[in-house]
Amino acid sequence: MARRYFASPWVEAQRARLQRLVDCAASSASSEPPRALDVGCGRGRHSLMLLEMGFQVTAVDLDGEALDTLRQRERGAVEKGTLKIRSMDLEAEDVGALGHFDVLLVVNYASRSLLPKLLQLLKPKGLLIFESWAQGNEHFATPKDAEAQRRLLRANELLEATSDCFTVLAYSHGLQEDYEGRDCVKQMICAEKRPCPGRASPVSEASRWCLGRLLEVTDASFLQDSAFGRDWVWHRPQSLGVAFGIEDLLQLLDGYDPEAAQKEYLAALTSASPRGARPALWDVSMVRRRESTTETLKPQEVRDFLRAAQLKTSADVLQRGEGWTLVVSQLQGAPALCDLHQRLFAATGLSSGINAYLTPPDAIGKPPHVDDHDVLVLQLAGSKTWTLLDDARQTIREQVPLTKGDVMYLPQGIPHHAAAMASHEASLHLAVALHRRPMSYSSVLGALVTLRLMDPGDGDLLPAALVEEMEGRSQSFAAFGAREHWINQLLPMHLALVRALSPEDLDVGLRREFCAVLRQRSRDLAELLRSPDMEDADLGMPVGARRQRALLRASVRGSERDLEEAAQLPEEDFEALACAAFWVRREYVMDPRGWCGPVHRRGATLSSERPLRPVQCLAKPPALALERSPLAGEGCRLDWST
């Protein structure tokens, strides 16, 4: 049978998604068909499509003549109640009176003040289909007045409008050739409303606020938030506090030579000078995904490509970048990023590094992967959709669109990949690594048991055998819990312990609390090690991952006795051991490789029997000088007072 309507190509492209809503409603216990709202319906070409598909349609417009035409044409549907026609000035009247809908359809109509109200009418898992004229369309059709010009959509405006609680399923912006018989510039989106509040984030508004505070005012409250170390969090702070963009990154790559860059980097790490040079980066890699394969370039090929392409701007990346994603590693030495790096260390007490990812539009850089550290993602230009996968089945768990100015926290262990959205510019984000596991309960308890069994010696440096044993034991202890488990979280007084240059810098009450917590966790871990059903927690994991975790756990069976014996030590002895364990972890993790973090003064000891490595930082809180750090310029100091 011939169709009675001609839907726009964008709406027609979403037919399968619409049909799934109808099919789901038909198979559910409810006898009610799904409801659709057609905004600015005109004579009803899309209302007719929705009716034929099985929706109950509410068609709204201010044009009474167009609505009369629709009413006469579909008198039967109006009488049955499957089509409701409303003459309404949406921008002046209360749209909330229309009720809630499974589909919101808007074609060739845009109102910035109305859009947020319309989005509230969608039910959870409801479908938004929106298309309208965008800036640049005035070159193809002269706006009838100044108001029509103002209504043209800005770049990524629909992405920004839907950022809080929608998952973007399809998006397009730009020139459409011969679109319904004419060339035009349009912005179009299809998105699903999430059932949870706020940008599909599984956490509370308070968690998002704390994440924003971490960047805006270097506030440490995010470490105490229930989401930290457990859930991903999205937020749009007032400012990312980073004056760095695509052109700044490309300028750093001017004249890049991999051998020279790495030689400079290593020289800075081993320099005896208290004021080392500040290398801007470690290396550059180039990655390109084509269908199911991943292409990479060798270091010298990267150098040759950059010299030939002469990339200076985002437009150059589009024109001469050949679809490659640029991955620039260890950028914390770049002058524009030093402050960000030091502020985040001051707020978290965690060793970190900064990588940049510059991706052309509509391209995927790295394939799906899992990081062994937490990540702060700062979207500096363009937009990307982050696909978070289920830990075990590798199915899609969430899709999170990030646009310029967004930040996302992603705890370690969540498989993910990022794809740049279709746009007129490349996408740039920074990934700030926060190494949480090396300072977690598993690592501190691993150090505690190792120090009880092995003598660290009297030298300035920890013996290699002790470090190897400590690292292996810590990794094995971590296998007794998933990402969310307490064994892989930070101690509650983590930041105070990191900031103190010696145990004497801690308040007596806090030192006692630290020892009490660690003593109890020693007993808790001993119980975990005895648990016979740990393998049950691995069900659903890939076979290789299950086997690896089983081997790690098997390697420390018997350590429960060592943990219990440590927990039974007299108070003074346990305090010395507990403090030594934490400080050894800190000294090992926060070495010059991370270019950040306090280390002890030469000769400073936790007890007369346990000397530590030489210190490179001489000042005490609230201001801590990074004496050997290549990040530390003349007079550079870390201010703990924030």
Side-chain angles (χ1 to χ4, degrees), residues 21-51:
L21 287 176
V22 175
D23 294 343
C24 286
S27 61
S28 68
S30 173
S31 59
E32 289 291 320
R35 301 186 67 214
L37 176 63
D38 185 2
V39 175
C41 64
R43 290 182 170 81
R45 59 170 176 159
H46 294 115
S47 295
L48 295 175
M49 171 184 173
L50 293 167
L51 276 172

Side-chain angles (χ1 to χ4, degrees), residues 607-622:
S607 69
S608 58
E609 295 79 23
R610 296 188 185 279
L612 291 176
R613 301 190 307 173
V615 295
Q616 293 121 18
C617 304
L618 303 180
K620 298 177 72 170

Side-chain angles (χ1 to χ4, degrees), residues 112-362:
R112 291 184 176 88
S113 61
L114 179 62
L115 182 55
K117 300 174 185 177
L118 289 175
L119 296 182
Q120 293 178 9
L121 303 183
L122 265 179
K123 300 176 183 178
K125 293 189 177 296
L127 198 64
L128 168 68
I129 301 174
F130 195 116
E131 69 168 273
S132 193
W133 318 112
Q135 290 178 353
N137 191 63
E138 66 272 18
H139 300 302
F140 300 93
T142 303
K144 63 181 180 180
D145 53 32
E147 177 61 24
Q149 176 70 36
R150 283 194 293 270
R151 287 176 183 256
L152 295 177
L153 295 171
R154 300 185 298 266
N156 294 326
E157 186 167 355
L158 292 178
L159 289 175
E160 295 171 3
T162 57
S163 62
D164 281 343
C165 52
F166 282 80
T167 297
V168 176
L169 304 176
Y171 177 78
S172 178
H173 177 101
L175 174 63
Q176 307 292 324
E177 296 182 350
D178 195 25
Y179 190 90
E180 297 194 274
R182 54 172 288 190
D183 293 345
C184 59
V185 178
K186 279 205 163 188
Q187 190 170 138
M188 304 178 279
I189 196 170
C190 178
E192 181 184 74
K193 191 169 187 178
R194 302 300 305 171
C196 49
R199 199 178 188 112
S201 179
V203 298
S204 66
E205 181 65 31
S207 297
R208 297 165 62 191
W209 180 83
C210 288
L211 177 59
R213 296 269 298 175
L214 176 63
L215 287 168
E216 292 166 6
V217 294
T218 323
D219 179 84
S221 56
F222 187 55
L223 268 67
Q224 305 301 324
D225 190 85
S226 59
F228 182 75
R230 298 174 179 86
D231 292 314
W232 65 273
V233 185
W234 165 88
H235 185 60
R236 169 163 289 181
Q238 293 182 355
S239 171
L240 292 178
V242 182
F244 191 78
I246 293 176
E247 293 185 4
D248 300 301
L249 178 68
L250 295 175
Q251 186 176 359
L252 291 176
L253 304 185
D254 187 29
Y256 168 73
D257 180 84
E259 293 182 4
Q262 294 184 13
K263 186 179 296 184
E264 179 187 10
Y265 189 101
L266 293 173
L269 294 185
T270 57
S271 171
S273 168
R275 301 292 183 197
R278 293 187 292 184
L281 56 94
W282 166 247
D283 75 354
V284 182
S285 58
M286 295 178 66
V287 185
R288 184 167 61 189
R289 291 274 291 172
R290 287 190 171 176
E291 296 180 352
S292 60
T293 62
T294 301
E295 300 176 275
T296 59
L297 293 183
K298 297 177 181 178
Q300 301 307 320
E301 292 174 330
V302 172
R303 179 198 63 190
D304 296 342
F305 181 92
L306 292 175
R307 288 180 179 177
Q310 290 294 301
L311 305 177
K312 306 293 184 184
T313 66
S314 177
D316 294 342
V317 174
L318 271 60
Q319 294 169 10
R320 301 192 295 276
E322 298 184 11
W324 291 100
T325 289
L326 294 174
V327 183
V328 187
S329 302
Q330 302 303 316
L331 268 173
Q332 58 269 21
L337 301 179
C338 290
D339 180 64
L340 170 69
H341 187 240
Q342 293 192 358
R343 283 191 294 114
L344 288 175
F345 171 74
T348 64
L350 297 176
S351 178
S352 61
I354 301 177
N355 293 349
Y357 295 80
L358 179 59
T359 308
D362 204 22

Side-chain angles (χ1 to χ4, degrees), residues 387-432:
T387 300
L388 312 184
L389 304 174
D390 182 89
D391 291 4
R393 296 183 297 275
Q394 296 290 296
T395 54
I396 294 178
R397 171 181 174 179
E398 301 284 354
Q399 286 187 308
V400 188
L402 297 186
T403 57
K404 183 178 179 180
D406 289 349
V407 60
M408 180 173 68
Y409 165 75
L410 191 66
Q412 69 183 57
I414 296 180
H416 62 275
H417 66 86
M421 297 183 190
S423 177
H424 63 285
E425 65 174 333
S427 171
L428 172 65
H429 79 266
L430 297 180
V432 184

Side-chain angles (χ1 to χ4, degrees), residues 11-78:
V11 174
E12 188 66 42
Q14 314 311 320
R15 172 179 285 274
R17 294 187 171 103
L18 291 166
Q19 190 61 53
R20 279 195 291 271
L21 287 176
V22 175
D23 294 343
C24 286
S27 61
S28 68
S30 173
S31 59
E32 289 291 320
R35 301 186 67 214
L37 176 63
D38 185 2
V39 175
C41 64
R43 290 182 170 81
R45 59 170 176 159
H46 294 115
S47 295
L48 295 175
M49 171 184 173
L50 293 167
L51 276 172
E52 286 195 357
M53 293 185 72
F55 286 92
Q56 185 182 90
V57 180
T58 298
V60 180
D61 205 301
L62 189 58
D63 186 340
E65 183 179 343
L67 293 179
D68 286 342
T69 300
L70 176 60
R71 188 177 290 107
Q72 291 298 322
R73 187 175 186 179
E74 292 297 322
R75 187 174 300 164
V78 172

Side-chain angles (χ1 to χ4, degrees), residues 502-507 511 605-606:
S502 74
E504 288 71 32
D505 291 330
L506 294 173
D507 175 83
R511 195 158 69 232
T605 60
L606 297 174

